[in-house]
Amino acid sequence: MVGRVVDPDELLSALDPEQRAVATALQGPLVVLAGAGTGKTRAITHRIAYGVATGTYNPSQVLAVTFTTRAAGEMRHRLRELGASRVQARTFHSAALAQARYFWPRVNGGELPSVLDNKMSLVAEAAGRQRIRVDTPLLRDLVSEISWAKVCNLVPEQYAVRAEALGRKVGSLDVATAAKVFGAYEGLKRDRERIDFEDILLCAASVLADQPEVAAEFRRTYRWFVVDEYQDVSPLQQALLDLWRGDRSDICVVGDPAQTIHTFAGARSDFLTGFTRRHPDATEVRLVRDYRSTPQVVAAANTVMTKYEAVTLQAQQPSGPDVAFSDNADEASEARSVAAWLTQLNARGVDWRDMAILFRVNSQSPAYEAALADRDIPYLVRGAERFYDRPEVRQAMLLIRADARTDPQAPAAERVRALLGGVGWTAQAPNSAGAVRERWESLAALVQVVDDLVAADPGTTMETVAVELGNRAEAQHVPTADGVTLATLHSAKGLEWDAVAVVGVQEGTLPFVLANSDAEVAEERRLLYVGITRARTHLHVSWSRSRNGGSRRQPSRFLDGLRPVDRSAAGADAPQARTRRRRSAQSEKCRTCGEGLHSAAERKIGRHADCPSDYDEALLESLKEWRRRTAAEAKMPAYVIFTDATLVALAESTPRDERELLRIHGLGRVKVDKYGEDVLAIIAAGGGSGPGPEETQESVV
């Protein structure tokens, strides 16, 4: 509660011994090495609150910084609950921007230049002025490289030498050419009086470095500093932090070396691991009690990081199920195995929203989307864009706030559905993927928030919803629709679920094929550690021996000592895996030309896409009409029943019984039990049910 008087002893009573050691170390430099799930945010917020409650800290002179708006919002929320609402908790960039906007007019006689929304167009123009042709992938590489150079505090003249020494690559360009684009980009920004995201930090640093009186004023305003996720700090952020602090030693940093996964963007974990060398009088505390995960999950995480710089976690939760391992013939088989595992968990009471599938790169997602759709499992794909910055979310929030002002006491349940129905929300997920699906997922997540509020209080009003959504937006508390989350390992950091499937854990994917140096491979290992430690209770680790029946691949070296080595798959998955491999082998030849098949879509229909088809068109139309009626009755998208590729496979192979149905690539026991009798009847009738209305276009997977 804001403004309440807090008993310092009460604050300490809620902490374990190591967390209490953090909370009571109020003076001098402090470094906290905090393993995954060990309560680091709890420890540092209680430390701040304890300092305020004992009178050691003036709350308005404390600045706590972190790296994401969500983390900063969570910190502010906790500090309010602990009676320390006047403490500033912000991201590095938010704090720097506020500082630069305040001091810039005094130093430079004008307003701080406006911030670019996106570098892409200006970098493209800079490349064009250097007569360098760039496509979209190369343009993205250039944008990323310029960002890396700037957070490493390098100007264009320094960049080429440093990048060459580190062996950095920028698509097809050499670093000297990239340096020319970098210089041209900086020139265009100056000409147009604009700054970019990294310039925010540079501008804040420059006013402190160049103006001693400004630095003195800032240091009078803020005396105590706390830095969360310190393993992700860049050289530029460290330089700004040093300028903020001056010669004072009142700084607390907290981080986990084992979760350093952003060095490609300039993060330097050696600022964390070398803290006690730079501050010989520093206190070091290690948080090792893992309150998130079962002993089985914790043991897997510890095994992955054995002999590497990380704390050894100690599980505090009760024992849970063993980690599940799955060795698969190809990616399609792996996706089906994961979907089956999630289905079993849901049948045992685990909500879809408490499950996640984590992969190394976004291109792995479609196989899992298809496997989930085949089993009628709802899902959402988590992107890099911040939820509350999405256009559809901003539009929805405006509509809800406006409606709440008009009729604040209106019941929220149906009112919100009506409002969002006007901007793209529907009761069922759309058939298509891409932007349409992403927009629906955003709106569905907001509807789910309202459903949860109404479930807790049936009298929930529009005013209550508007206030709650505003608070969540401030804290970057991202709502989750009732579906399995699909996300990259990078974007999953900071999140957790009851059940997590870490997929594609094979050589060439994890570690990624472009990870060549020891440092790059070590970072890939840390990515796996991050993925494992997202799981609270259920963990599934899988890999595939080939991609679409191509060259053989080996399980990741990171699984040495962790995965079962005396069998191809663990537990009950083994017979299923053998069945999948036999089925895949039978489908690898095109039934038209006899040559090998290379993609999941080709294996599903049993021929190459450009080889002649031999299906009965009337039968295919009958199957489509049956699918349309079935989907309408079930109020679900048609592709969830069967994809177009599956219907083509049925029309071409004309199975006569259940056994032959199960031979079709992509058809599992669940689908056959549910729809097999109807499908066999249509095939036996030879397409006699006739064509249906015009079908909507669907993706063939």
Side-chain angles (χ1 to χ4, degrees):
M1 183 184 297
V2 176
R4 73 186 179 98
V5 177
V6 177
D7 179 2
D9 291 336
E10 180 185 339
L11 289 170
L12 297 182
S13 67
L15 305 178
D16 69 27
E18 294 80 21
Q19 293 169 345
R20 193 176 300 119
V22 172
T24 54
L26 299 178
Q27 302 291 348
L30 170 66
V31 57
V32 182
L33 299 178
T38 57
K40 67 178 179 64
T41 305
R42 181 182 186 83
I44 59 177
T45 52
H46 276 73
R47 177 182 184 269
I48 294 169
Y50 184 71
V52 171
T54 57
T56 307
Y57 295 164
N58 178 341
S60 63
Q61 290 185 301
V62 179
L63 177 61
V65 291
T66 187
F67 285 81
T68 67
T69 307
R70 176 181 176 274
E74 174 66 17
M75 200 178 294
R76 284 194 298 273
H77 173 71
R78 294 199 191 193
L79 288 169
R80 279 198 299 268
E81 290 187 330
L82 296 173
S85 58
R86 291 168 57 203
V87 170
Q88 288 287 307
R90 315 185 78 155
T91 66
F92 257 108
H93 282 82
S94 172
L97 183 59
Q99 170 196 332
R101 282 176 172 163
Y102 180 79
F103 289 117
W104 194 266
R106 183 194 309 180
V107 173
N108 296 288
E111 295 298 317
L112 183 73
S114 58
V115 182
L116 285 169
D117 290 331
N118 193 302
K119 290 189 183 77
M120 293 281 281
S121 61
L122 212 57
V123 172
E125 184 177 345
R129 293 198 173 192
Q130 297 297 309
R131 299 187 177 181
I132 300 168
R133 297 183 62 182
V134 293
D135 55 14
T136 300
L138 179 56
L139 184 57
R140 289 198 184 105
D141 288 343
L142 278 167
V143 168
S144 296
E145 190 70 359
I146 289 171
S147 296
W148 172 83
K150 297 186 75 165
V151 300
C152 291
N153 226 356
L154 300 172
V155 297
E157 295 75 20
Q158 299 168 320
Y159 160 74
V161 175
R162 181 66 174 156
E164 187 75 37
L166 293 174
R168 293 185 68 86
K169 301 190 185 326
V170 193
S172 59
L173 301 181
D174 58 69
V175 293
T177 303
K180 290 179 182 178
V181 177
F182 182 12
Y185 165 76
E186 291 295 306
L188 286 171
K189 280 201 294 97
R190 285 193 299 271
D191 292 345
R192 296 173 190 180
E193 297 185 339
R194 305 293 295 275
I195 60 175
D196 61 24
F197 193 62
E198 292 77 29
D199 289 331
I200 294 171
L201 302 179
L202 287 165
C203 290
S206 69
V207 296
L208 295 178
D210 298 340
Q211 304 292 328
E213 69 280 4
V214 170
E217 181 177 341
F218 181 87
R219 291 165 191 159
R220 286 193 298 271
T221 303
Y222 294 108
R223 176 174 175 181
W224 294 279
F225 297 91
V226 178
V227 187
D228 189 20
E229 301 287 1
Y230 192 58
Q231 78 278 351
D232 288 335
V233 78
S234 70
L236 178 54
Q237 288 164 331
Q238 182 62 48
L240 179 59
L241 180 61
D242 290 340
L243 287 166
W244 282 348
R245 188 172 54 85
D247 59 2
R248 292 195 301 245
S249 61
D250 292 312
I251 180 171
C252 166
V253 300
V254 58
D256 181 5
Q259 296 190 68
T260 305
I261 59 173
H262 295 291
T263 59
F264 65 91
R268 287 260 304 271
S269 63
D270 59 319
F271 289 123
L272 172 65
T273 57
F275 189 84
T276 54
R277 290 194 297 273
R278 299 194 313 277
H279 302 273
D281 58 337
T283 300
E284 178 179 295
V285 179
R286 292 180 172 239
L287 301 183
V288 298
R289 301 175 197 244
D290 186 318
Y291 296 97
R292 175 187 300 157
S293 305
T294 63
Q296 288 80 2
V297 174
V298 168
N302 285 337
T303 299
V304 167
M305 294 305 294
T306 298
K307 300 179 182 178
Y308 292 84
E309 192 167 25
V311 300
T312 300
L313 298 172
Q314 299 174 7
Q316 305 298 303
Q317 293 294 332
S319 183
D322 289 338
V323 177
F325 295 92
S326 178
D327 184 344
N328 302 274
D330 53 32
E331 289 181 340
S333 300
E334 183 180 6
R336 291 196 299 272
S337 172
V338 170
W341 181 71
L342 296 174
T343 300
Q344 292 168 2
L345 291 180
N346 182 252
R348 284 153 45 191
V350 182
D351 288 340
W352 297 124
R353 70 168 73 184
D354 290 326
M355 305 179 188
I357 300 173
L358 306 181
F359 35 76
R360 177 61 178 84
V361 291
N362 281 313
S363 60
Q364 294 170 263
S365 182
Y368 294 90
E369 296 178 49
L372 295 178
D374 279 347
R375 283 183 171 265
D376 303 342
I377 299 174
Y379 68 89
L380 57 149
V381 181
R382 182 182 179 88
E385 183 184 21
R386 293 195 309 189
F387 179 82
Y388 293 100
D389 289 343
R390 297 175 185 174
E392 65 272 17
V393 174
R394 292 201 301 267
Q395 181 184 18
M397 299 273 281
L398 286 172
L399 288 171
I400 290 170
R401 284 197 292 266
D403 196 79
R405 286 194 296 270
T406 303
D407 192 354
Q409 298 308 308
E414 295 307 317
R415 192 71 162 262
V416 169
R417 277 175 160 73
L419 286 172
L420 300 192
V423 293
W425 176 81
T426 57
Q428 296 297 327
N431 292 358
S432 57
V436 172
R437 170 87 192 197
E438 290 170 5
R439 180 181 181 85
W440 179 87
E441 287 174 357
S442 298
L443 298 175
L446 294 176
V447 171
Q448 187 66 55
V449 170
V450 177
D451 287 349
D452 291 345
L453 292 173
V454 172
D457 178 8
T460 296
T461 64
M462 289 300 296
E463 182 180 42
T464 302
V465 169
V467 170
E468 175 65 17
L469 288 176
N471 291 337
R472 288 181 179 228
E474 180 188 1
Q476 286 295 308
H477 179 188
V478 178
T480 302
D482 187 22
V484 177
T485 297
L486 279 71
T488 65
L489 291 162
H490 281 101
S491 65
K493 187 169 178 289
L495 304 174
E496 58 186 78
W497 296 269
D498 283 347
V500 171
V502 184
V503 302
V505 190
Q506 65 265 334
E507 292 292 313
T509 305
L510 192 66
F512 197 55
V513 65
L514 297 180
N516 297 314
S517 69
D518 289 345
E520 289 168 338
V521 172
E523 180 138 336
E524 297 289 305
R525 179 181 289 274
R526 294 192 293 269
L527 265 177
L528 177 58
Y529 174 85
V530 166
I532 287 172
T533 55
R534 300 311 93 197
R536 299 189 192 106
T537 306
H538 307 278
L539 176 63
H540 185 283
V541 179
S542 63
W543 58 94
S544 58
R545 296 283 179 173
S546 70
R547 181 172 189 176
N548 300 329
S551 60
R552 298 282 292 174
R553 305 185 298 194
Q554 295 299 315
S556 173
R557 71 195 77 172
F558 304 151
L559 298 179
D560 291 350
L562 180 62
R563 68 181 178 92
V565 294
D566 59 339
R567 50 185 173 170
S568 61
D573 286 341
Q576 297 173 12
R578 287 194 293 271
T579 300
R580 288 193 295 269
R581 284 195 290 276
R582 286 197 300 270
R583 190 179 304 154
S584 178
Q586 292 168 348
S587 305
E588 287 187 0
K589 299 292 184 182
C590 173
R591 66 167 170 268
T592 301
C593 70
E595 296 296 321
L597 301 175
H598 305 294
S599 71
E602 288 177 346
R603 288 200 306 278
K604 178 170 280 192
I605 61 176
R607 61 174 172 80
H608 297 116
D610 55 357
C611 280
S613 174
D614 55 0
Y615 64 80
D616 183 310
E617 291 189 7
L619 174 57
L620 180 61
E621 289 303 318
S622 295
L623 288 169
K624 285 187 175 182
E625 168 61 13
W626 164 81
R627 180 182 64 176
R628 185 195 64 76
R629 293 196 310 268
T630 304
E633 291 171 2
K635 296 182 179 179
M636 63 175 60
Y639 77 92
V640 172
I641 308 298
F642 286 134
T643 64
D644 278 356
T646 300
L647 294 185
V648 170
L650 288 166
E652 291 184 337
S653 60
T654 59
R656 293 166 297 180
D657 54 32
E658 185 178 282
R659 180 175 57 85
E660 291 183 359
L661 274 177
L662 287 168
R663 287 178 179 171
I664 295 176
H665 196 90
L667 272 187
R669 169 55 61 184
V670 172
K671 292 281 189 181
V672 170
D673 287 347
K674 198 169 186 179
Y675 305 120
E677 186 176 342
D678 289 348
V679 169
L680 291 172
I682 293 170
I683 293 171
S689 61
E694 182 178 349
E695 294 288 318
T696 57
Q697 184 177 5
E698 296 175 12
S699 60
V700 178
V701 293

PDB file of all heavy atoms in Angstrom, residues 515-532:
ATOM      1  N   ALA A 515      27.645 -20.461 -34.927  1.00  0.00           N
ATOM      2  CA  ALA A 515      28.440 -20.307 -33.702  1.00  0.00           C
ATOM      3  C   ALA A 515      29.741 -21.084 -33.878  1.00  0.00           C
ATOM      4  O   ALA A 515      29.758 -22.312 -33.788  1.00  0.00           O
ATOM      5  CB  ALA A 515      27.662 -20.818 -32.492  1.00  0.00           C
ATOM      6  N   ASN A 516      30.835 -20.368 -34.130  1.00  0.00           N
ATOM      7  CA  ASN A 516      32.111 -21.019 -34.441  1.00  0.00           C
ATOM      8  C   ASN A 516      33.139 -20.905 -33.321  1.00  0.00           C
ATOM      9  O   ASN A 516      33.856 -21.859 -33.034  1.00  0.00           O
ATOM     10  CB  ASN A 516      32.692 -20.419 -35.729  1.00  0.00           C
ATOM     11  CG  ASN A 516      31.785 -20.675 -36.931  1.00  0.00           C
ATOM     12  OD1 ASN A 516      31.315 -21.790 -37.131  1.00  0.00           O
ATOM     13  ND2 ASN A 516      31.520 -19.648 -37.722  1.00  0.00           N
ATOM     14  N   SER A 517      33.210 -19.749 -32.692  1.00  0.00           N
ATOM     15  CA  SER A 517      34.222 -19.555 -31.654  1.00  0.00           C
ATOM     16  C   SER A 517      33.771 -20.206 -30.350  1.00  0.00           C
ATOM     17  O   SER A 517      32.589 -20.517 -30.156  1.00  0.00           O
ATOM     18  CB  SER A 517      34.470 -18.064 -31.425  1.00  0.00           C
ATOM     19  OG  SER A 517      33.334 -17.458 -30.817  1.00  0.00           O
ATOM     20  N   ASP A 518      34.728 -20.393 -29.438  1.00  0.00           N
ATOM     21  CA  ASP A 518      34.401 -20.959 -28.126  1.00  0.00           C
ATOM     22  C   ASP A 518      33.395 -20.076 -27.394  1.00  0.00           C
ATOM     23  O   ASP A 518      32.477 -20.577 -26.727  1.00  0.00           O
ATOM     24  CB  ASP A 518      35.672 -21.102 -27.286  1.00  0.00           C
ATOM     25  CG  ASP A 518      36.580 -22.213 -27.802  1.00  0.00           C
ATOM     26  OD1 ASP A 518      36.107 -23.041 -28.614  1.00  0.00           O
ATOM     27  OD2 ASP A 518      37.768 -22.238 -27.410  1.00  0.00           O
ATOM     28  N   ALA A 519      33.566 -18.759 -27.511  1.00  0.00           N
ATOM     29  CA  ALA A 519      32.663 -17.827 -26.829  1.00  0.00           C
ATOM     30  C   ALA A 519      31.246 -17.936 -27.390  1.00  0.00           C
ATOM     31  O   ALA A 519      30.259 -17.898 -26.640  1.00  0.00           O
ATOM     32  CB  ALA A 519      33.182 -16.396 -26.969  1.00  0.00           C
ATOM     33  N   GLU A 520      31.132 -18.089 -28.712  1.00  0.00           N
ATOM     34  CA  GLU A 520      29.808 -18.200 -29.327  1.00  0.00           C
ATOM     35  C   GLU A 520      29.123 -19.504 -28.942  1.00  0.00           C
ATOM     36  O   GLU A 520      27.920 -19.529 -28.667  1.00  0.00           O
ATOM     37  CB  GLU A 520      29.941 -18.088 -30.847  1.00  0.00           C
ATOM     38  CG  GLU A 520      30.302 -16.688 -31.330  1.00  0.00           C
ATOM     39  CD  GLU A 520      30.707 -16.651 -32.796  1.00  0.00           C
ATOM     40  OE1 GLU A 520      31.117 -17.723 -33.330  1.00  0.00           O
ATOM     41  OE2 GLU A 520      30.634 -15.574 -33.400  1.00  0.00           O
ATOM     42  N   VAL A 521      29.885 -20.585 -28.894  1.00  0.00           N
ATOM     43  CA  VAL A 521      29.308 -21.874 -28.493  1.00  0.00           C
ATOM     44  C   VAL A 521      28.887 -21.823 -27.024  1.00  0.00           C
ATOM     45  O   VAL A 521      27.832 -22.362 -26.651  1.00  0.00           O
ATOM     46  CB  VAL A 521      30.311 -23.013 -28.743  1.00  0.00           C
ATOM     47  CG1 VAL A 521      29.804 -24.321 -28.140  1.00  0.00           C
ATOM     48  CG2 VAL A 521      30.554 -23.185 -30.244  1.00  0.00           C
ATOM     49  N   ALA A 522      29.685 -21.159 -26.182  1.00  0.00           N
ATOM     50  CA  ALA A 522      29.330 -21.035 -24.763  1.00  0.00           C
ATOM     51  C   ALA A 522      28.015 -20.281 -24.597  1.00  0.00           C
ATOM     52  O   ALA A 522      27.192 -20.614 -23.731  1.00  0.00           O
ATOM     53  CB  ALA A 522      30.452 -20.330 -24.003  1.00  0.00           C
ATOM     54  N   GLU A 523      27.808 -19.272 -25.428  1.00  0.00           N
ATOM     55  CA  GLU A 523      26.546 -18.531 -25.345  1.00  0.00           C
ATOM     56  C   GLU A 523      25.370 -19.401 -25.766  1.00  0.00           C
ATOM     57  O   GLU A 523      24.281 -19.302 -25.194  1.00  0.00           O
ATOM     58  CB  GLU A 523      26.601 -17.272 -26.209  1.00  0.00           C
ATOM     59  CG  GLU A 523      25.328 -16.464 -26.157  1.00  0.00           C
ATOM     60  CD  GLU A 523      25.580 -14.970 -26.070  1.00  0.00           C
ATOM     61  OE1 GLU A 523      26.656 -14.565 -25.606  1.00  0.00           O
ATOM     62  OE2 GLU A 523      24.697 -14.210 -26.443  1.00  0.00           O
ATOM     63  N   GLU A 524      25.562 -20.263 -26.751  1.00  0.00           N
ATOM     64  CA  GLU A 524      24.506 -21.193 -27.151  1.00  0.00           C
ATOM     65  C   GLU A 524      24.159 -22.138 -26.001  1.00  0.00           C
ATOM     66  O   GLU A 524      22.996 -22.480 -25.783  1.00  0.00           O
ATOM     67  CB  GLU A 524      24.952 -21.979 -28.377  1.00  0.00           C
ATOM     68  CG  GLU A 524      25.189 -21.139 -29.621  1.00  0.00           C
ATOM     69  CD  GLU A 524      23.911 -20.610 -30.229  1.00  0.00           C
ATOM     70  OE1 GLU A 524      23.013 -21.418 -30.522  1.00  0.00           O
ATOM     71  OE2 GLU A 524      23.810 -19.382 -30.408  1.00  0.00           O
ATOM     72  N   ARG A 525      25.167 -22.561 -25.257  1.00  0.00           N
ATOM     73  CA  ARG A 525      24.929 -23.414 -24.082  1.00  0.00           C
ATOM     74  C   ARG A 525      24.066 -22.672 -23.061  1.00  0.00           C
ATOM     75  O   ARG A 525      23.136 -23.245 -22.476  1.00  0.00           O
ATOM     76  CB  ARG A 525      26.265 -23.835 -23.457  1.00  0.00           C
ATOM     77  CG  ARG A 525      26.105 -24.716 -22.216  1.00  0.00           C
ATOM     78  CD  ARG A 525      27.459 -25.082 -21.621  1.00  0.00           C
ATOM     79  NE  ARG A 525      28.179 -26.013 -22.468  1.00  0.00           N
ATOM     80  CZ  ARG A 525      28.043 -27.335 -22.425  1.00  0.00           C
ATOM     81  NH1 ARG A 525      27.188 -27.887 -21.569  1.00  0.00           N
ATOM     82  NH2 ARG A 525      28.753 -28.102 -23.224  1.00  0.00           N
ATOM     83  N   ARG A 526      24.369 -21.393 -22.876  1.00  0.00           N
ATOM     84  CA  ARG A 526      23.586 -20.604 -21.918  1.00  0.00           C
ATOM     85  C   ARG A 526      22.140 -20.451 -22.381  1.00  0.00           C
ATOM     86  O   ARG A 526      21.220 -20.380 -21.557  1.00  0.00           O
ATOM     87  CB  ARG A 526      24.248 -19.242 -21.701  1.00  0.00           C
ATOM     88  CG  ARG A 526      25.606 -19.336 -21.011  1.00  0.00           C
ATOM     89  CD  ARG A 526      26.108 -17.997 -20.543  1.00  0.00           C
ATOM     90  NE  ARG A 526      26.434 -17.088 -21.624  1.00  0.00           N
ATOM     91  CZ  ARG A 526      27.627 -16.973 -22.185  1.00  0.00           C
ATOM     92  NH1 ARG A 526      28.631 -17.729 -21.758  1.00  0.00           N
ATOM     93  NH2 ARG A 526      27.844 -16.098 -23.156  1.00  0.00           N
ATOM     94  N   LEU A 527      21.938 -20.406 -23.698  1.00  0.00           N
ATOM     95  CA  LEU A 527      20.566 -20.349 -24.213  1.00  0.00           C
ATOM     96  C   LEU A 527      19.770 -21.588 -23.803  1.00  0.00           C
ATOM     97  O   LEU A 527      18.595 -21.493 -23.428  1.00  0.00           O
ATOM     98  CB  LEU A 527      20.588 -20.242 -25.742  1.00  0.00           C
ATOM     99  CG  LEU A 527      20.512 -18.858 -26.363  1.00  0.00           C
ATOM    100  CD1 LEU A 527      20.618 -18.959 -27.876  1.00  0.00           C
ATOM    101  CD2 LEU A 527      19.229 -18.147 -25.974  1.00  0.00           C
ATOM    102  N   LEU A 528      20.397 -22.756 -23.894  1.00  0.00           N
ATOM    103  CA  LEU A 528      19.718 -23.977 -23.464  1.00  0.00           C
ATOM    104  C   LEU A 528      19.408 -23.916 -21.975  1.00  0.00           C
ATOM    105  O   LEU A 528      18.321 -24.303 -21.539  1.00  0.00           O
ATOM    106  CB  LEU A 528      20.572 -25.207 -23.784  1.00  0.00           C
ATOM    107  CG  LEU A 528      20.003 -26.550 -23.311  1.00  0.00           C
ATOM    108  CD1 LEU A 528      18.621 -26.813 -23.894  1.00  0.00           C
ATOM    109  CD2 LEU A 528      20.958 -27.694 -23.661  1.00  0.00           C
ATOM    110  N   TYR A 529      20.347 -23.423 -21.189  1.00  0.00           N
ATOM    111  CA  TYR A 529      20.133 -23.271 -19.745  1.00  0.00           C
ATOM    112  C   TYR A 529      18.928 -22.378 -19.478  1.00  0.00           C
ATOM    113  O   TYR A 529      18.075 -22.681 -18.631  1.00  0.00           O
ATOM    114  CB  TYR A 529      21.393 -22.686 -19.108  1.00  0.00           C
ATOM    115  CG  TYR A 529      21.271 -22.341 -17.643  1.00  0.00           C
ATOM    116  CD1 TYR A 529      21.472 -23.310 -16.658  1.00  0.00           C
ATOM    117  CD2 TYR A 529      20.973 -21.053 -17.235  1.00  0.00           C
ATOM    118  CE1 TYR A 529      21.378 -22.994 -15.306  1.00  0.00           C
ATOM    119  CE2 TYR A 529      20.881 -20.725 -15.890  1.00  0.00           C
ATOM    120  CZ  TYR A 529      21.082 -21.695 -14.933  1.00  0.00           C
ATOM    121  OH  TYR A 529      20.978 -21.364 -13.595  1.00  0.00           O
ATOM    122  N   VAL A 530      18.834 -21.269 -20.187  1.00  0.00           N
ATOM    123  CA  VAL A 530      17.693 -20.367 -20.024  1.00  0.00           C
ATOM    124  C   VAL A 530      16.401 -21.099 -20.352  1.00  0.00           C
ATOM    125  O   VAL A 530      15.399 -20.993 -19.631  1.00  0.00           O
ATOM    126  CB  VAL A 530      17.860 -19.106 -20.904  1.00  0.00           C
ATOM    127  CG1 VAL A 530      16.545 -18.329 -21.003  1.00  0.00           C
ATOM    128  CG2 VAL A 530      18.953 -18.209 -20.340  1.00  0.00           C
ATOM    129  N   GLY A 531      16.399 -21.859 -21.456  1.00  0.00           N
ATOM    130  CA  GLY A 531      15.196 -22.593 -21.824  1.00  0.00           C
ATOM    131  C   GLY A 531      14.778 -23.597 -20.768  1.00  0.00           C
ATOM    132  O   GLY A 531      13.597 -23.677 -20.394  1.00  0.00           O
ATOM    133  N   ILE A 532      15.720 -24.362 -20.253  1.00  0.00           N
ATOM    134  CA  ILE A 532      15.417 -25.373 -19.232  1.00  0.00           C
ATOM    135  C   ILE A 532      14.846 -24.724 -17.979  1.00  0.00           C
ATOM    136  O   ILE A 532      13.870 -25.209 -17.397  1.00  0.00           O
ATOM    137  CB  ILE A 532      16.685 -26.185 -18.907  1.00  0.00           C
ATOM    138  CG1 ILE A 532      17.015 -27.126 -20.072  1.00  0.00           C
ATOM    139  CG2 ILE A 532      16.518 -26.974 -17.606  1.00  0.00           C
ATOM    140  CD1 ILE A 532      18.344 -27.832 -19.927  1.00  0.00           C
TER     141      ILE A 532
END
